[in-house]
Amino acid sequence: MDKDITGVFSKSELRAMQKFCNKRNEKVVGGQLWRVIDFTLYLLAVIVFALAIRSVVVEPVRVKGSSMLDTLHEGDYMVVEKLSYAFSSPKRGDILIIWYPNNDEYTCVKRVIGVSGDHVVMEPGRDGYVSVNGEILSEPYVSSLNTHRCDEIVPEGCVFVLGDNRAVSKDSSSSVVGSIPVANIVGRVRCVVWPSESAQIFD
């Protein structure tokens, strides 16, 4: 009888078993390849989803500059939410990330003082008050007073924004900037998350 040295299987049986194992190994290799492809596609989907969330829903933004002192400080990390104004309009007091008009390179962070149709008046000097529709605003968040005069009715589809640190802020009180179209709003600042001593939530 045609037996191998083990005396258990014939050579033809061993060849058949080897052929079977080779085919099985090919299937296993194919399975591993598909698992790698599946994992890669899953990873890509997660990355695309994360990027979509960042561009459409929320985004972490780092504060640069001192125009919003003492509310926001240089280096603070804010969470900016981008969906609110798809369903509602900006309101007075909201803190926004915006593009300056005719500038698609730099964003800035400012506070909404007036909305469409509001009559905003600013006076420089010792009092440095801001009034909206004839009512002087109470602004405990302001760290420095206005440095120039402004008298403007906010155009339709725009907001009038100011920095809390009025002496250094480049904002709607300047004729170079003026009121900001709502289309230039990137999103609304919802909170500061870092550093921990600056953490706060905005209504």
Side-chain angles (χ1 to χ4, degrees):
M1 193 172 179
D2 187 18
K3 299 284 187 180
D4 74 324
I5 55 174
T6 63
V8 178
F9 300 106
S10 67
K11 291 180 180 180
S12 60
E13 289 173 330
L14 285 173
R15 283 194 293 271
M17 291 173 64
Q18 186 176 10
K19 187 176 180 181
F20 171 80
C21 288
N22 288 339
K23 287 185 177 181
R24 185 177 184 279
N25 287 339
E26 288 176 3
K27 291 181 179 180
V28 171
V29 170
Q32 289 174 339
L33 177 61
W34 280 110
R35 284 195 291 273
V36 170
I37 292 173
D38 182 63
F39 175 77
T40 302
L41 292 174
Y42 175 78
L43 185 60
L44 287 173
V46 170
I47 292 172
V48 169
F49 181 73
L51 290 174
I53 289 292
R54 180 172 178 150
S55 65
V56 177
V57 183
V58 293
E59 180 178 1
V61 176
R62 184 173 178 267
V63 176
K64 294 181 180 180
S66 59
S67 70
M68 282 295 289
L69 288 175
D70 287 326
T71 305
L72 300 171
H73 300 81
E74 176 89 33
D76 285 355
Y77 278 89
M78 311 170 287
V79 173
V80 178
E81 176 265 309
K82 302 181 176 183
L83 288 180
S84 287
Y85 302 134
F87 307 100
S88 62
S89 299
K91 66 180 186 299
R92 301 183 196 98
D94 288 354
I95 299 175
L96 309 179
I97 300 295
I98 59 173
W99 298 100
Y100 282 125
N102 305 313
N103 186 330
D104 58 359
E105 187 176 358
Y106 300 107
T107 59
C108 60
V109 55
K110 304 295 176 188
R111 185 186 298 272
V112 177
I113 298 299
V115 297
S116 298
D118 282 346
H119 182 198
V120 180
V121 175
M122 298 175 60
E123 290 291 342
R126 185 179 62 185
D127 295 332
Y129 73 83
V130 177
S131 72
V132 177
N133 302 325
E135 182 178 347
I136 296 177
L137 301 182
S138 172
E139 299 183 288
Y141 45 77
V142 171
S143 62
S144 67
L145 300 177
N146 314 321
T147 57
H148 48 283
R149 182 175 285 101
C150 179
D151 188 333
E152 180 176 345
I153 295 178
V154 184
E156 186 69 27
C158 293
V159 290
F160 188 98
V161 298
L162 297 174
D164 290 352
N165 188 6
R166 303 279 161 82
V168 302
S169 179
K170 182 180 178 182
D171 50 38
S172 294
S173 63
S174 167
S175 59
V176 177
V177 178
S179 292
I180 304 295
V182 171
N184 285 38
I185 297 174
V186 176
R188 180 180 175 186
V189 177
R190 287 294 190 175
C191 60
V192 174
V193 295
W194 188 261
S196 57
E197 60 268 22
S198 296
Q200 54 184 317
I201 298 174
F202 303 109
D203 294 332

